[in-house]
Amino acid sequence: MDPLRTLWETFFDWDSMREALPEMLTVGLPNTLILAVSAALLGSVLGMLLAVAGISRTRWLRWPARVYTDVFRGLPAAATILLIGVGLAPLGMQVWGPNPYPLGILALSLIAAAYIGEIFRSGIQSVEATQLEGARALGFSWAEAMRVVIIPQGVRRVLPAWVNQLIALIKDSSLVYFLGLVASQRELFRIGQDYAATTGNESALLLAGLFYLALTVPLTHVVNAIDARLRHGRPAARPTDEIDDADPALPGAAGGSGR
């Protein structure tokens, strides 16, 4: 059979896509967003703690933060999800019952924290030392200066990198299917997989991929816009008198109406 025709029939069966679309919209998309956003928020909190510990002068805070970061950045995401989701499953059964979502979110958060912590640490350390010295001269304690002056500036500088990590979390959320999801808990990739296994056609998986693109491509442009704003700043408004002088249509402008 013609390879192009095989490819088209395998991945571009519009009937299969139409069949999977409603469930992806009502079940897969909300679950994917719940996993990614929850993990991003929890990972950001843990990441900030890691960042502060990583720049601490106390060895007992700095070294554990570095070891944590090295371990969770070095392990494959699938291995971490299985380690947390399967290893802590008995504890999860006692706390919230047979629901793998909390453990899946926890695993994704631990992974994200290792990356976000390094992002925040680099942002904090990029703030000029004179900022901290100036805050201390005004009477702020070290903790107050970090909280009010240094950390907000550092986080603002690394917002594009943080959004990039959110994009990675959206894609990594597809790995939670390893933990075994019931029908109402399936995310986009799992729904596509189930339809592909049922119909013998991979078009539903392609549709899931299109959903991921619809989520990540706009975020990529958001990253670019934030990065451009941070690098170049907001365009300065032109003074009113300069506008008047430059516009001959305005009264009193150079080159305006004359007799």
Side-chain angles (χ1 to χ4, degrees), residues 15 30 62 98 107 111 123 132 140 158 170 176 188 191 208 244 256:
D15 291 334
R62 188 172 64 252
I111 297 168
L132 180 59
F140 287 95
V158 295
I170 291 174
V176 175
L188 288 168
I191 291 176
D244 291 345

Side-chain angles (χ1 to χ4, degrees), residues 195-215:
Y195 272 96
T198 302
T199 63
N201 189 279
E202 308 294 332
S203 300
L205 278 174
L206 177 63
L207 180 61
L210 294 177
F211 270 97
Y212 284 111
L213 284 176
L215 291 173

Side-chain angles (χ1 to χ4, degrees), residues 162-213:
W162 184 89
V163 178
N164 276 330
Q165 187 57 40
L166 176 59
I167 292 173
L169 276 173
I170 291 174
K171 294 183 289 185
D172 285 346
S173 67
S174 63
L175 299 175
V176 175
Y177 84 91
F178 284 136
L179 304 182
L181 304 174
V182 299
S184 62
Q185 296 173 332
R186 294 176 300 169
E187 33 68 45
L188 288 168
F189 182 76
R190 184 61 185 178
I191 291 176
Q193 245 191 350
D194 288 346
Y195 272 96
T198 302
T199 63
N201 189 279
E202 308 294 332
S203 300
L205 278 174
L206 177 63
L207 180 61
L210 294 177
F211 270 97
Y212 284 111
L213 284 176

Side-chain angles (χ1 to χ4, degrees), residues 18-257:
R18 273 196 300 270
E19 184 181 354
L21 180 60
E23 195 166 8
M24 287 194 178
L25 284 173
T26 58
V27 178
L29 181 60
N31 286 337
T32 295
L33 292 175
I34 288 172
L35 288 169
V37 174
S38 300
L41 294 177
L42 182 56
S44 296
V45 174
L46 296 176
M48 181 57 70
L49 296 177
L50 285 172
V52 174
I55 61 176
S56 172
R57 296 179 180 178
T58 304
R59 181 184 304 175
W60 303 111
L61 290 176
R62 188 172 64 252
W63 281 104
R66 290 183 178 179
V67 170
Y68 176 98
T69 300
D70 289 341
V71 169
F72 281 94
R73 290 177 71 184
L75 284 174
T80 302
I81 289 172
L82 286 174
L83 181 66
I84 301 298
V86 177
L88 299 182
L91 177 62
M93 288 286 292
Q94 297 176 5
V95 177
W96 45 69
N99 183 2
Y101 252 49
L103 289 177
I105 291 174
L106 175 61
L108 290 173
S109 301
L110 294 177
I111 297 168
Y115 291 93
I116 294 175
E118 284 297 285
I119 291 171
F120 285 161
R121 183 181 64 82
S122 65
I124 292 171
Q125 291 182 323
S126 72
V127 178
E128 296 78 6
T130 53
Q131 298 276 348
L132 180 59
E133 295 169 359
R136 296 300 302 274
L138 291 174
F140 287 95
S141 67
W142 184 88
E144 289 174 336
M146 291 294 293
R147 178 173 55 86
V148 177
V149 179
I150 305 301
I151 290 179
Q153 292 187 67
V155 170
R156 181 175 178 269
R157 294 181 181 187
V158 295
L159 274 178
W162 184 89
V163 178
N164 276 330
Q165 187 57 40
L166 176 59
I167 292 173
L169 276 173
I170 291 174
K171 294 183 289 185
D172 285 346
S173 67
S174 63
L175 299 175
V176 175
Y177 84 91
F178 284 136
L179 304 182
L181 304 174
V182 299
S184 62
Q185 296 173 332
R186 294 176 300 169
E187 33 68 45
L188 288 168
F189 182 76
R190 184 61 185 178
I191 291 176
Q193 245 191 350
D194 288 346
Y195 272 96
T198 302
T199 63
N201 189 279
E202 308 294 332
S203 300
L205 278 174
L206 177 63
L207 180 61
L210 294 177
F211 270 97
Y212 284 111
L213 284 176
L215 291 173
T216 58
V217 170
L219 283 175
T220 302
H221 290 288
V222 169
V223 169
N224 294 336
I226 293 175
D227 186 54
R229 173 62 64 86
L230 292 179
R231 282 190 289 107
H232 303 298
R234 182 178 299 177
R238 295 172 59 190
T240 305
D241 54 350
E242 291 185 9
I243 297 177
D244 291 345
D245 291 341
D247 190 352
L250 295 176
S257 58

